[in-house]
Amino acid sequence: MMKILKWIGAGIGLFTALVIVFITMFIFQAEEVALPDEVGEDEEVLVSITELELMTAKRDTLQMAMDSLLAVLVQRSADLDSLSDVLAFRDAAIGALESRLQDKDAAIEGLREVDVNAQEMARTFATMNVEQLSPIVAELTDGVVLDIYKHTSNKRRRFLLAAMGDNRAAKLTNRLVRK
């Protein structure tokens, strides 16, 4: 976008230089042209009044065109700045959302891993009797026992509940029912 602004600036500069060159050429040409009816030898008229009025009108027209182009340039520059701000905000929002998405993906992957581990432990516990399960279940947290319970078959759940003891089994049952 800066290249466009540089080209516009260069174009305006070239246009201004050409206007100055043409005006200078007209002035020097006008000095060389003498009026056919000279008033005297001491007094020399360089440009007729009609030509002077035409050049003045052309100069005023060029000045208005330059002012109009400068106004357009300023407006385009403001529009560009506004769009740059919008793009910067959008890029920041996208970055934040991507970061949150990566965090959620990592959390989901962690939950999947916990679920797979709970399934494996449920299969292992399915081969044990209540006496074998009791010391192991006593050392596990309620959350771990709950995850394993969810992956245990209906026939084997009674062994897991019996290994937990009455109070802890009641707490687990309350948690399962309230979810």
Side-chain angles (χ1 to χ4, degrees), residues 2 15 25 50 54-55 59 67 77-78 82 92 98 102-103 105 108 110 128 134 138 150-151 176:
M2 290 301 293
F15 179 76
M25 286 176 46
T50 309
L54 284 173
M55 283 194 272
R59 183 200 65 207
D67 291 344
S77 179
S82 175
E98 285 176 345
Q102 289 174 351
D103 292 346
D105 285 345
I108 288 170
M128 298 179 175
S134 292
K150 288 178 185 176
H151 294 291
L176 283 170

Side-chain angles (χ1 to χ4, degrees), residues 19 23 53-65:
V19 168
I23 290 174
E53 288 174 351
L54 284 173
M55 283 194 272
T56 304
K58 285 182 183 179
R59 183 200 65 207
D60 292 344
T61 303
L62 290 174
Q63 185 62 44
M64 288 184 351

Side-chain angles (χ1 to χ4, degrees), residues 82-125:
S82 175
L83 289 174
S84 295
D85 292 345
V86 168
L87 288 175
F89 178 75
R90 185 202 67 173
D91 290 345
I94 287 172
L97 289 174
E98 285 176 345
S99 174
R100 285 180 56 197
L101 183 61
Q102 289 174 351
D103 292 346
K104 295 294 181 184
D105 285 345
I108 288 170
E109 187 58 36
L111 290 173
R112 283 184 183 146
E113 200 171 304
V114 166
D115 194 50
V116 167
N117 292 339
Q119 286 176 358
E120 289 176 7
M121 290 310 299
R123 283 193 292 269
T124 302
F125 284 4

